Amino acid sequence: MTAPSKPRPPAFDPDDVNESNFTSYPEMHRAANQTRYNRRLGNHAGLKNFGVNLTRIIPGGQSSFRHAHSRQDEFVFVIEGEVVLETNSGAQVLTAGMCAGFPAGTGDAHRFINRTTRDVKLLVIGDRTADDEISYPDVDMRAVLGPDGVYKFTTKAGDPL
């Protein structure tokens, strides 16, 4: 049996994509959200219309603050581990092979929490629709996607963060 060869573009090994726990959240909200690590697979592939992230959440970590998008859809597939999905209707446990979808504009705020002792891996897919707004019901924060493709964060009242 021969060893597999290194894939040629457009194929690639996700492990070759840098993993980062960077978050664009304002400083006061960063620490709680640096317990998850993303490999930005869609960016690596040059995708423009939607994003694809391989997200690893360490034990005790969360994917983000609970949030809902006004214009962007999200889809999450659990690749490995057991994770708690929190939405407006409560919490439920998802295991490898399960998935969840979050249509834009529903206001159903969601996040994923790792309450186990092992890492969780998620495949997260979302579109990049312009003029998106993100609401965060559990923290005093909101975000608006600017024309430059960068989210601008404010308090719920609109004050800069």
Side-chain angles (χ1 to χ4, degrees):
M1 193 174 234
T2 61
S5 61
K6 183 170 177 74
R8 295 182 318 276
F12 62 93
D13 183 338
D15 288 339
D16 291 340
V17 178
N18 288 337
E19 184 180 62
S20 170
N21 71 340
F22 171 79
T23 176
S24 60
Y25 281 174
E27 181 67 37
M28 67 183 68
H29 296 299
R30 282 189 191 146
N33 293 287
Q34 290 185 303
T35 55
R36 58 93 182 101
Y37 295 80
N38 287 310
R39 294 180 191 271
R40 300 197 182 282
L41 306 181
N43 289 356
H44 182 80
L47 302 182
K48 304 287 186 226
N49 296 318
F50 62 94
V52 180
N53 293 326
L54 181 58
T55 300
R56 180 173 61 89
I57 306 172
I58 64 173
Q62 65 180 10
S63 58
S64 63
F65 287 118
R66 219 164 49 89
H67 68 283
H69 290 270
S70 66
R71 299 184 53 110
Q72 295 183 1
D73 292 332
E74 284 186 271
F75 183 86
V76 178
F77 181 83
V78 181
I79 295 174
E80 185 178 301
E82 178 181 291
V83 68
V84 175
L85 166 61
E86 288 185 348
T87 64
N88 291 357
S89 60
Q92 61 180 307
V93 174
L94 302 182
T95 57
M98 298 176 79
C99 46
F102 308 100
T106 64
D108 191 10
H110 57 277
R111 73 174 174 169
F112 294 86
I113 303 170
N114 183 355
R115 294 190 176 138
T116 73
T117 58
R118 300 184 64 190
D119 287 357
V120 169
K121 284 189 181 175
L122 309 172
L123 185 66
V124 181
I125 303 167
D127 72 80
R128 296 179 175 175
T129 303
D131 302 319
D132 184 46
E133 294 184 23
I134 306 174
S135 60
Y136 297 88
D138 304 326
V139 293
D140 187 16
M141 184 169 69
R142 70 184 284 267
V144 176
L145 185 61
D148 57 359
V150 176
Y151 281 98
K152 308 291 187 247
F153 292 90
T154 66
T155 65
K156 291 177 184 175
D159 298 321
L161 288 177

